[in-house]
Amino acid sequence: MMQEKKFQFSYKILEDSHALADEDAALLELARATTQKAYAPYSGFHVACAAKLANGSTVVGTNQENASYPVGICAERALLAAVGSGYNDEPILTLAISYHPVNGSSNRPVSPCGMCRQALSEYEKRTGTPIRLLLSGMEGPVYVINTIKDLLPLAFSEDDLC
Ligand code: THU
């Protein structure tokens, strides 16, 4: 017998950051401003994220590239390293992500790469609290996604290790 399952998720698309609550708008503005701190001389693609933690703290991360290309780290995992190192298991409630390409426009959201989805998924599971994502360019629409689970169906986790 064959079974078929369907995966679907819903997310919000806001026209721009003005449609966000003040605290979310401020977090997105911080992510946008923090793109200046990215070190991306090879790709020219400056990514930054800003997290609001359950204890009220705000933490940022940026991509940090390397002349040995695969050594570079994405903004999201740089942020997770900072949160994991400085705050023990403090849940991330909201994570705003933005980007600034040196040559090109930034007026539509981009979403985290697969490796970062895996890393965010583990942090979400570890803390037992969904990470809400705000995705947006330097201007334009904002995607609001409720949990990393929505971006990584059938995720691999510690439960699969034997
Ligand atoms: N990058 C991120 O920082 N986050 C993502 O989710 C996608 C890609 C970085 C990696 C690399 O430094 C540059 O963007 C171009 O891929």
Side-chain angles (χ1 to χ4, degrees):
M1 199 190 87
M2 193 196 74
Q3 237 192 338
E4 191 171 310
K5 291 200 176 184
K6 192 181 342 180
F7 172 80
Q8 54 185 8
F9 80 104
S10 60
Y11 63 102
K12 294 195 171 58
I13 303 177
L14 309 180
E15 196 179 338
D16 59 34
S17 61
H18 295 107
L20 289 168
D22 289 351
E23 196 186 345
D24 287 342
L27 198 66
L28 176 56
E29 279 318 310
L30 178 62
R32 286 171 171 167
T34 305
T35 57
Q36 289 175 20
K37 302 272 174 54
Y39 176 66
Y42 306 106
S43 71
F45 195 74
H46 297 237
V47 185
C49 47
K52 178 60 76 178
L53 308 187
N55 70 0
S57 301
T58 302
V59 182
V60 295
T62 58
N63 56 333
Q64 298 291 317
E65 297 185 348
N66 192 281
S68 175
Y69 292 179
V71 174
I73 186 170
C74 292
E76 295 87 336
R77 278 174 297 124
L79 179 134
L80 286 175
V83 173
S85 307
Y87 306 82
N88 18 320
D89 286 355
E90 196 61 35
I92 298 174
L93 301 183
T94 309
L95 180 65
I97 307 173
S98 191
Y99 65 100
H100 182 256
V102 279
N103 297 311
S105 53
S106 175
N107 52 18
R108 65 178 181 87
V110 296
S111 56
C113 78
M115 194 183 274
C116 289
R117 290 177 199 209
Q118 179 71 22
L120 289 164
S121 166
E122 177 118 358
Y123 197 80
E124 195 174 77
K125 190 168 191 296
R126 172 176 157 189
T127 60
T129 306
I131 301 175
R132 193 168 60 105
L133 298 176
L134 307 175
L135 309 179
S136 187
M138 298 298 280
E139 57 181 4
V142 183
Y143 292 175
V144 183
I145 296 170
N146 294 325
T147 163
I148 302 300
K149 283 199 184 79
D150 287 343
L151 294 184
L152 197 62
L154 296 177
F156 183 82
S157 78
E158 58 166 338
D159 301 341
D160 300 307
L161 292 173
C162 33

